[in-house]
C-alpha cells in the first residue's frame, strides 16, 4: 500500500469501541500486520468534537498510523483527511462503506453508500485527492440484501477512483453478522478487479480459516475483525501460516493474564 510495507497480508479491521490504542498495542506485539484505528466520523472531526479527536489518537511509537473514516459528504471527508494529515501525520486512510447498523444505513451512510454509485465515486475521489501520497483503501459489503448486490460496482469504482486496495466483507447489510460469509463473492470480486489488491473479510476465527480463504478465493490478503476479540495472539498465528510456518502454540493462562 504505497509507502506501507507489510511482512504478511493481514489487516485488523477497525471496530468502533474496540480497536483503540491499548487493544492495537496488544495485537501489535503478536505479529506484523496493518492495525487500523476505530471508525471515526469525518464531520465530527471537522467540527472539532474533542471526544472524536480523542478516539482518533495513536500510541507513542505506533509504527503505522492507520485510521478508518466514515462520512457521506465528499466535502467533509476531504477536509477530515487533510486535518488528519496535518495533526496526526497519518500513514493510511481506510474508508468505511460497510457499516450495517440501521441508524447509519437509514441515513444513507455505511453499507448504503455503494447503492449510490455516483456518490461513492465522488467520496473516494475527494479522499484520494486530499490524501495525496497517503494510501487510501475502501471496505464494503456485498450489498444491501441479496436483491441489491453492489460489491462488483463498488470494486470497479474504487479501482477507477484511485483506491490502492479494496476489502469485501462477504455479507450483505441485511445479514449484519449472522449466517455464513459468502467467500464465493470474494472470488468473483478478485476476478472482476485486476489492478489493485483484493482483501477478504468474514468468518476468519482461526489461522487456518485465513489460509482457506486465500486458497479458495485467490484474494491477496485477509481482514480480521471479531475473530481476534479476546485473542490478540491470533495475529501471530496468522503471520506464521501466511509465511508457510507452523503456528505457535496459544499462550497458557499465565501468559494471557
Amino acid at each position: 500500500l504505497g509507502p506501507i510495507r507489510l511482512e504478511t497480508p493481514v489487516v485488523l479491521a477497525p471496530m468502533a469501541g474496540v480497536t483503540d490504542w491499548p487493544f492495537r498495542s496488544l495485537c501489535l506485539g503478536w505479529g506484523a500486520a496493518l492495525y487500523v484505528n476505530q471508525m471515526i466520523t469525518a464531520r465530527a472531526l471537522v467540527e472539532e468534537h474533542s471526544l472524536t479527536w480523542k478516539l482518533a489518537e495513536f500510541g507513542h511509537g505506533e509504527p503505522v498510523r492507520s485510521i478508518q473514516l466514515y462520512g457521506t459528504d465528499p466535502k467533509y471527508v476531504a477536509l477530515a483527511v487533510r486535518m488528519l494529515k496535518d495533526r496526526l501525520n497519518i500513514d493510511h486512510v481506510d474508508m468505511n462503506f460497510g457499516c450495517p447498523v440501521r441508524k447509519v444505513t437509514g441515513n444513507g451512510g455505511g453499507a448504503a453508500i455503494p447503492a449510490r454509485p455516483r456518490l461513492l465515486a465522488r467520496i473516494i475521489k475527494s479522499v484520494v485527492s486530499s490524501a495525496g501520497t497517503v494510501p487510501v483503501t475502501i471496505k464494503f459489503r456485498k450489498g444491501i440484501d441479496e436483491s441489491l448486490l453492489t460489491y462488483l460496482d463498488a470494486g470497479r469504482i474504487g479501482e477507477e477512483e484511485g483506491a490502492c486496495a479494496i476489502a469485501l466483507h462477504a455479507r450483505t447489510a441485511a445479514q449484519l453478522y449472522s449466517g455464513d460469509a459468502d467467500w464465493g463473492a470474494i472470488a468473483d470480486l478478485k476476478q472482476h478487479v485486476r489492478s489493485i489488491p483484493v482483501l477478504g473479510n468474514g468468518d476468519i476465527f482461526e489461522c487456518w480459516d485465513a489460509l482457506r480463504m486465500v486458497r479458495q478465493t485467490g484474494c491477496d490478503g485477509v481482514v480480521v475483525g471479531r475473530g481476534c476479540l479476546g485473542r490478540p495472539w491470533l495475529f501471530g498465528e496468522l503471520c506464521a501460516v501466511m509465511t508457510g510456518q507452523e503456528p505457535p502454540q496459544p499462550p497458557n493462562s499465565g501468559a494471557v493474564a
Side-chain angles (χ1 to χ4, degrees):
L1 308 180
I4 299 174
R5 293 291 179 266
L6 304 181
E7 294 179 20
T8 55
V10 179
V11 180
L12 167 66
M15 292 175 279
V18 176
T19 58
D20 53 17
W21 165 237
F23 184 74
R24 295 196 309 277
S25 69
L26 287 175
C27 296
L28 183 64
W30 289 95
L34 179 61
Y35 299 100
V36 186
N37 202 340
Q38 55 196 317
M39 185 181 76
I40 302 297
T41 303
R43 186 154 187 163
L45 285 178
V46 173
E47 293 178 350
E48 300 287 0
H49 290 197
S50 58
L51 178 57
T52 303
W53 279 102
K54 178 68 174 174
L55 294 174
E57 72 179 5
F58 294 95
H60 178 70
E62 192 163 359
V64 180
R65 296 184 163 221
S66 174
I67 196 165
Q68 188 183 75
L69 199 59
Y70 160 79
T72 58
D73 187 322
K75 178 183 71 174
Y76 281 102
V77 291
L79 285 170
V81 169
R82 287 198 287 270
M83 294 170 76
L84 288 166
K85 287 175 61 181
D86 292 343
R87 299 187 190 182
L88 300 182
N89 194 29
I90 55 172
D91 299 302
H92 165 236
V93 176
D94 183 59
M95 291 301 301
N96 182 307
F97 300 118
C99 180
V101 178
R102 190 172 298 277
K103 70 177 182 179
V104 173
T105 58
N107 290 322
I113 292 178
R116 302 169 64 188
R118 285 183 291 184
L119 174 61
L120 176 66
R122 290 201 307 273
I123 293 174
I124 298 173
K125 184 176 182 178
S126 70
V127 171
V128 170
S129 176
S130 293
T133 59
V134 173
V136 175
T137 60
I138 64 173
K139 183 168 181 263
F140 48 88
R141 286 186 173 233
K142 284 175 58 181
I144 302 299
D145 54 33
E146 291 296 334
S147 68
L148 183 54
L149 300 178
T150 57
Y151 67 102
L152 294 181
D153 283 340
R156 173 184 55 80
I157 291 169
E159 185 177 31
E160 291 174 351
E161 298 300 338
C164 66
I166 58 177
L168 173 63
H169 183 167
R171 287 183 171 87
T172 64
Q175 285 182 272
L176 297 177
Y177 299 96
S178 66
D180 295 329
D182 178 11
W183 289 5
I186 300 171
D188 291 342
L189 184 62
K190 177 59 182 173
Q191 291 298 313
H192 191 72
V193 174
R194 298 298 186 92
S195 67
I196 57 176
V198 173
L199 310 178
N201 177 221
D203 292 351
I204 297 177
F205 294 102
E206 56 181 47
C207 59
W208 305 116
D209 295 331
L211 211 55
R212 284 193 302 109
M213 176 184 281
V214 171
R215 288 173 175 171
Q216 290 180 20
T217 69
C219 67
D220 301 288
V222 297
V223 179
V224 181
R226 294 171 299 146
C228 69
L229 295 180
R231 298 167 59 232
W233 52 86
L234 175 61
F235 289 99
E237 299 169 1
L238 287 165
C239 292
V241 299
M242 287 293 213
T243 54
Q245 304 171 54
E246 285 295 316
Q249 289 295 316
N252 60 27
S253 58
V256 171

